Each structure stands twice: as structure tokens, then as C-alpha cells.
Amino acid sequence: EVQLVESGGGLVQPGGSLRLSCAGSGFTFSTYWLSWVRQAPGKGLEWVANINQYGSEIYYVDSVKGRFTISRDNAKNSLYMQMNSLRVDDTAVYYCARDFGSGSYKYWGQGTLVTVSS
Amino acid sequence: EIVLTQSPGTLSLSPGERATLSCRASQSVSSNYLAWYQQKPGQAPRLLIYGASSRAPGIADRFSGGGSGTDFTLTISRLEPEDFAMYYCQQYASSPRTFGQGTKLEIK
């Protein structure tokens, strides 16, 4: 069974940093693109970033470029998101998601809540 | 960046009725790389349709997707009580892989 489990969320002050992790199991982790998608409270889904199987191809939404860094460790079956210079509008549930076929997302984690507030 | 606009924002229907949700793209979505998701409160999204018209494994056949280029639809042929939820479209033809703003399907 495919599983994705996020961790690392919490309360952080504006300007602070946080590192999210996503542990994958039940599939060959090193053969799939992986993504982070977030959802602010009461709002819609926002795609944040993705990374290819090797970590050599990475894309970000404009609003996080220069502040967030996506990475992966295939030996540990883990995906990461280093979030720096956090802003109040980064407050959201952050989901990791695995590509299904050409880029839709059948597999999602349960999400981890990041709250940026003073 | 491809902008996706979903309509209507809210759709009020009764169980047993047919629902048609729309997703319009600001530019053509190549290879029809368009997906539809259902999301209920407190849950992660669930993939319903990929490639514009292919049902994901385990999805009931009352859900169907159609369209191409810039105009796509999700149709639910006969609404069941569990179908009342939020629905999002997403394009994965180019990065950033954008989502529409969502359609809320509510019980009339």
C-alpha cells in the first residue's frame, strides 16, 4: 500500500524557518516525481513545488521562489521542504503528493499544518 | 503560467440529479493533461479523473470527464449523498502545475 506521511509542521514566527519531511513507503520511491501542495485555511489548493526522481529538475510557484527549497533523499525514501523567511500567508496545510502516470496526483499524505504568526 | 477558472463557484443540486462542472484554461492544455479532484472537509484530495477523461482506479462510473484544449468538464450522472464536496481541476502540462479555485457542490 502506498503511504506518504508528512511531519515537521508547527507554529513559527514571521521571518522564521521550518523544515517539512515526507516519508514514502509501499512503492519504489526513487522512480517517481514528488510534489508539495498547500491549502490555506478555508481556501483552495495551491501547487508549491515538485522534484524529479534524481533531484536534478525542480520547479516552484513564484510566491516561494528564493525562500523554499525542495529536496529528496532516495536512500531514506524521504522528501523535504526547507522553508525560510516565512510569511503569514504561508500558513497552510502542506501535503506531499506522488505523481500518477504523467503528473496527476493519486497518492497524498495526510498533510501537516504550518502556522506563521507572531 | 496556465490559469484555470472553474464555474460555477457553487452548484446547488439534489441527490439523483446530474451535475456538470466546468474548468476553462487560459491557454491550451497540451496532451489534455487535466485532472479532477474531490475534497471533503479535513481530508486530502482524491483523484477522480486524469488525462481529461480517464477515471482513476476505484472511481465510480457515474463520474466522467470530457473536453480538450481549453475547455473541460466533469459530469456526475446521478448524484449520491457522498458526492457533495469541493471539486478542483488541475493542469499538469506545464509547471507551475496550477489548480482551479474550486467548485462547491452542495445539497439543495
Side-chain angles (χ1 to χ4, degrees):
Chain A
E1 178 193 5
V2 173
Q3 284 199 317
L4 297 166
V5 179
E6 301 95 337
S7 60
L11 175 63
V12 62
Q13 292 188 336
S17 297
L18 214 53
R19 189 195 196 205
L20 305 183
S21 299
C22 173
S25 61
F27 64 101
T28 306
F29 189 87
S30 60
T31 63
Y32 289 93
W33 282 74
L34 297 165
S35 301
W36 289 99
V37 176
R38 68 183 178 182
Q39 187 167 36
K43 303 297 184 183
L45 300 169
E46 181 182 34
W47 182 89
V48 177
N50 66 351
I51 185 169
N52 74 344
Q53 299 91 324
Y54 318 105
S56 59
E57 199 170 344
I58 289 172
Y59 299 93
Y60 298 98
V61 69
D62 282 350
S63 60
V64 308
K65 282 180 182 176
R67 300 187 302 120
F68 289 13
T69 302
I70 189 173
S71 63
R72 65 191 295 163
D73 184 337
N74 289 338
K76 294 183 178 180
N77 286 357
S78 292
L79 172 71
Y80 306 103
M81 179 69 88
Q82 177 66 42
M83 303 186 296
N84 298 330
S85 303
L86 281 161
R87 309 189 301 219
V88 172
D89 62 358
D90 293 318
T91 294
V93 174
Y94 285 73
Y95 295 100
C96 66
R98 196 205 85 178
D99 270 22
F100 173 74
S102 301
S104 58
Y105 302 123
K106 177 171 168 57
Y107 301 103
W108 297 71
Q110 84 288 353
T112 187
L113 176 62
V114 172
T115 303
V116 185
S117 174
S118 55
Chain B
E1 171 178 327
I2 298 177
V3 176
L4 299 178
T5 303
Q6 292 186 239
S7 60
T10 302
L11 186 57
S12 299
L13 294 170
S14 301
E17 291 192 292
R18 180 186 186 91
T20 302
L21 287 66
S22 174
C23 177
R24 176 162 289 178
S26 60
Q27 55 189 277
S28 182
V29 178
S30 62
S31 304
N32 289 337
Y33 281 168
L34 192 288
W36 288 94
Y37 300 86
Q38 177 193 70
Q39 188 181 33
K40 297 180 179 179
Q43 296 183 15
R46 179 172 73 138
L47 177 66
L48 300 175
I49 301 289
Y50 65 97
S53 59
S54 298
R55 260 188 309 276
I59 300 302
D61 60 7
R62 64 181 181 274
F63 291 93
S64 63
S68 64
T70 60
D71 289 294
F72 300 89
T73 57
L74 173 70
T75 301
I76 310 171
S77 58
R78 291 174 311 280
L79 286 166
E80 297 287 343
E82 62 268 26
D83 298 337
F84 293 92
M86 285 294 297
Y87 290 83
Y88 297 94
C89 59
Q90 181 220 1
Q91 67 80 22
Y92 48 98
S94 64
S95 290
R97 296 185 186 178
T98 45
F99 288 89
Q101 83 281 14
T103 290
K104 181 179 182 180
L105 179 56
E106 65 176 24
I107 298 177
K108 188 173 183 180

